[in-house]
């Protein structure tokens, strides 16, 4: 009888490598590994050999870089979605994109289950599983780290020993290191000294994409970007697809110390966690898009858009990408981007992004209105009536308070 198949979300790291023989032992599954390439770089080297050495029958490497950039990253950039005012959602945006690829492979292989290696304390278990529920409600989810009755490994040492007991000798050691997640948009760091909020991050040991600002060059890097309907189209005159623009901005931002944040965030599961995120290109892209938006979007729309941005950041962080609410929020955002077209210029210098001019055919800025000289569209006398009506509630309240105080004084 043919074995049932499980698709394992495979990173090539120790955790997911140890899961391969464990799935075979505990469930007698045919293990299909699926590594979803969303910009991990050289982390993908040697994956097929490692997966098959560990007992997988097949490895898929699904390249989703363009899908990730265009259909997950850019809607959040257009929204200005930032979780707790700092975190640019690098891992949060990637998980629904990864789930989409996992489900595709599971359907192709007629798999009965999808397995992930996320821990029982983190956000990723929620993001993976809500995505699978939404896209493939008939497919079972296996989460080893929550199955403590049959998943008995509690450390890297345990996992290495388990693999060796199965005749799998892997290039992992017992050395401690940061827990990292990397993709096209960012790299995150957790663990080691970061677990003590009183300790400063060891940036010399930690940083992968970015030069610390104090060590960045003592010179300005000038950048010009163009946008069409809220989508970046070129850098310094060179037209590129979105994924390549992010890659280019990662290089420019990394060289100039842009986009390093140290945050204690509130996880969905209720605890606080501390992490350092490097998002050099993303920080620049968000700032450039905002620089253009402030020229072309009216005040009332911008005010509501800020509320939408906060809500969308929360929804994405919580793994609710494939929900009616997320669809509705993204529809609002898309409608605001029709006129977000133009050119932005800025300078990068030691961790700073400095505006250097913005132009758009749809600019709402009127020099004749904004200047101190009187223009044809603005009559200073009109302000009298406006202020009278605008301040009417204040005036009525103040007079009422005066009446009350006068009445008290005469009693």
């Amino acid at each position: 009888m043919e074995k049932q198949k499980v698709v394992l979300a495979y990173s090539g790291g120790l955790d997911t490598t140890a899961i391969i023989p464990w799935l075979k032992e505990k469930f007698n599954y045919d293990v299909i590994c699926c590594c979803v390439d969303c910009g991990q770089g050289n982390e993908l080297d040697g994956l097929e050999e490692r997966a098959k050495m560990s007992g997988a029958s097949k490895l898929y490497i699904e390249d989703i870089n363009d899908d990730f950039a265009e259909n997950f990253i850019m809607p959040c950039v257009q929204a200005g979605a930032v979780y707790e005012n700092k975190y640019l959602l690098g891992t949060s945006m990637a998980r629904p994109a990864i789930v989409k690829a996992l489900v595709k492979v599971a359907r192709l292989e007629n798999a009965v289950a999808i397995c992930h290696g996320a821990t029982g304390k983190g956000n990723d278990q929620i993001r993976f599983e809500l995505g699978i529920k939404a896209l493939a409600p008939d497919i079972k989810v296996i989460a080893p780290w929550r199955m403590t009755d049959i998943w008995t490994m509690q450390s890297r040492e345990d996992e290495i020993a388990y693999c060796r007991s199965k005749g799998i000798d892997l290039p992992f050691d017992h050395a401690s290191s940061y827990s990292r997640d990397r993709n096209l948009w960012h790299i995150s760091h957790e663990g080691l000294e970061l677990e003590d909020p009183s300790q400063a991050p060891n940036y010399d040991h930690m940083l992968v994409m970015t030069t610390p600002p104090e060590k960045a060059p003592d010179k300005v890097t000038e950048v010009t970007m163009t946008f069409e309907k809220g989508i970046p189209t070129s850098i310094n005159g060179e037209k590129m697809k979105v994924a390549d623009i992010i890659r280019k901005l990662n290089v420019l931002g990394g060289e100039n110390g842009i986009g390093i944040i140290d945050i204690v965030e509130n996880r969905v599961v209720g605890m606080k966690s501390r992490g350092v995120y490097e998002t050099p290109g993303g920080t620049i892209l968000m700032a450039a898009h905002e620089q253009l938006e402030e020229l072309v979007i009216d005040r009332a729309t911008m005010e509501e858009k800020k509320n939408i941005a906060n809500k969308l950041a929360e929804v994405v962080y919580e793994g609710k990408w494939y929900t009616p609410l997320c669809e509705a929020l993204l529809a609002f955002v898309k409608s605001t981007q029709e006129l977000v077209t133009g050119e932005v210029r800025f300078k990068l210098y030691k961790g700073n992004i400095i505006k250097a001019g913005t132009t758009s055919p749809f600019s709402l800025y009127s020099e004749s209105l904004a200047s101190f000289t009187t223009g044809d569209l603005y009559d200073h006398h009109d302000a009298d009536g406006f202020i009278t009506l605008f301040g009417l509630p204040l005036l009525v309240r103040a007079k009422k308070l005066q009446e009350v105080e006068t009445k008290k004084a005469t009693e």
Side-chain angles (χ1 to χ4, degrees):
M1 183 177 175
E2 188 177 353
K3 290 182 179 180
Q4 291 186 319
K5 295 178 181 179
V6 59
V7 170
L8 171 63
Y10 188 61
S11 68
L14 179 56
D15 287 348
T16 53
T17 298
I19 287 172
I20 296 172
W22 180 84
L23 285 169
K24 296 177 70 175
E25 176 188 356
K26 300 298 181 182
F27 298 95
N28 196 32
Y29 278 138
D30 178 9
V31 181
I32 310 294
C33 285
C34 179
C35 176
V36 183
D37 176 7
C38 50
Q40 298 94 311
N42 59 13
E43 292 179 15
L44 304 180
D45 295 346
L47 281 195
E48 184 165 9
E49 180 184 359
R50 187 178 305 162
K52 291 188 175 178
M53 180 199 313
S54 305
S57 62
K58 193 182 294 185
L59 171 71
Y60 286 83
I61 296 182
E62 295 290 299
D63 184 345
I64 66 162
N65 279 271
D66 288 335
D67 184 37
F68 180 39
E70 294 165 15
N71 299 316
F72 294 86
I73 290 175
M74 280 314 304
C76 291
V77 171
Q78 291 177 317
V82 181
Y83 183 68
E84 295 187 338
N85 299 313
K86 285 188 177 181
Y87 172 44
L88 301 187
L89 299 172
T91 302
S92 310
M93 295 184 296
R95 294 312 185 227
I98 290 169
V99 166
K100 183 177 161 186
L102 291 172
V103 169
K104 173 188 165 187
V105 171
R107 295 298 190 204
L108 189 64
E109 289 287 343
N110 293 315
V112 299
I114 293 174
C115 178
H116 65 78
T119 72
K121 285 187 175 181
N123 296 315
D124 280 342
Q125 57 182 337
I126 300 167
R127 295 164 183 156
F128 279 126
E129 294 181 39
L130 291 191
I132 295 167
K133 286 178 188 295
L135 300 182
D138 54 307
I139 292 180
K140 183 166 63 174
V141 175
I142 299 175
W145 280 96
R146 297 204 307 265
M147 304 169 74
T148 53
D149 53 335
I150 55 174
W151 176 269
T152 56
M153 292 170 274
Q154 299 296 314
S155 66
R156 289 177 64 86
E157 290 84 356
D158 290 346
E159 290 174 322
I160 291 169
Y162 177 73
C163 287
R164 286 178 177 164
S165 74
K166 299 297 179 183
I168 304 165
D169 195 12
L170 296 166
F172 300 115
D173 58 32
H174 299 68
S176 295
S177 62
Y178 296 104
S179 173
R180 290 184 166 113
D181 177 76
R182 183 171 189 171
N183 59 43
L184 178 68
W185 187 245
H186 85 158
I187 185 166
S188 65
H189 312 268
E190 293 181 340
L192 299 187
E193 79 277 359
L194 297 180
E195 294 187 345
D196 181 354
S198 71
Q199 298 298 307
N202 184 356
Y203 286 140
D204 289 336
H205 181 224
M206 177 193 306
L207 297 179
V208 175
M209 300 172 70
T210 320
T211 301
E214 64 270 22
K215 296 183 178 179
D218 290 319
K219 64 181 181 66
V220 166
T221 299
E222 297 184 353
V223 183
T224 299
M225 290 185 66
T226 58
F227 287 82
E228 292 180 13
K229 295 188 176 184
I231 303 294
T233 54
S234 73
I235 299 178
N236 294 333
E238 184 180 355
K239 288 194 173 294
M240 303 181 201
K241 62 183 181 179
V242 175
D244 287 339
I245 284 175
I246 294 170
R247 291 185 184 101
K248 178 66 175 178
L249 291 177
N250 276 334
V251 173
L252 294 173
E255 291 171 347
N256 287 279
I258 306 292
I260 303 167
I261 67 160
D262 176 0
I263 182 175
V264 175
E265 69 194 63
N266 291 292
R267 286 183 180 171
V268 182
V269 292
M271 70 185 71
K272 289 185 180 290
S273 68
R274 188 207 188 176
V276 167
Y277 297 95
E278 298 178 65
T279 321
T283 300
I284 297 170
L285 182 53
M286 294 282 277
H289 180 265
E290 182 181 327
Q291 183 175 328
L292 180 57
E293 269 197 335
E294 65 185 21
L295 199 66
V296 300
I297 294 184
D298 65 278
R299 179 187 178 190
T301 302
M302 188 66 85
E303 285 179 352
E304 192 57 38
K305 189 170 179 291
K306 287 177 183 176
N307 295 330
I308 295 292
N310 288 333
K311 187 61 182 177
L312 181 64
E314 180 184 298
V315 165
V316 174
Y317 187 84
E318 292 177 351
K320 298 176 182 175
W321 186 275
Y322 298 110
T323 62
L325 174 57
C326 190
E327 271 184 36
L329 294 172
L330 292 175
F332 173 88
V333 171
K334 186 176 181 181
S335 74
T336 67
Q337 299 300 295
E338 282 298 310
L339 304 183
V340 184
T341 294
E343 180 182 275
V344 297
R345 299 187 303 278
F346 50 89
K347 300 174 183 179
L348 308 177
Y349 181 70
K350 288 188 174 295
N352 296 290
I353 303 170
I354 305 160
K355 290 181 183 178
T358 318
T359 57
S360 170
F362 305 109
S363 172
L364 297 180
Y365 183 89
S366 168
E367 188 174 348
S368 64
L369 279 173
S371 69
F372 287 101
T373 58
T374 302
D376 295 335
L377 293 177
Y378 193 91
D379 186 335
H380 288 278
H381 296 96
D382 292 340
D384 289 337
F386 169 75
I387 293 169
T388 297
L389 294 177
F390 195 63
L392 189 58
L394 294 175
L395 182 64
V396 171
R397 180 177 183 274
K399 286 191 171 185
K400 179 58 68 175
L401 291 175
Q402 275 186 343
E403 289 175 12
V404 171
E405 289 300 320
T406 301
K407 187 176 180 180
K408 283 182 179 179
T410 57
E411 287 178 350

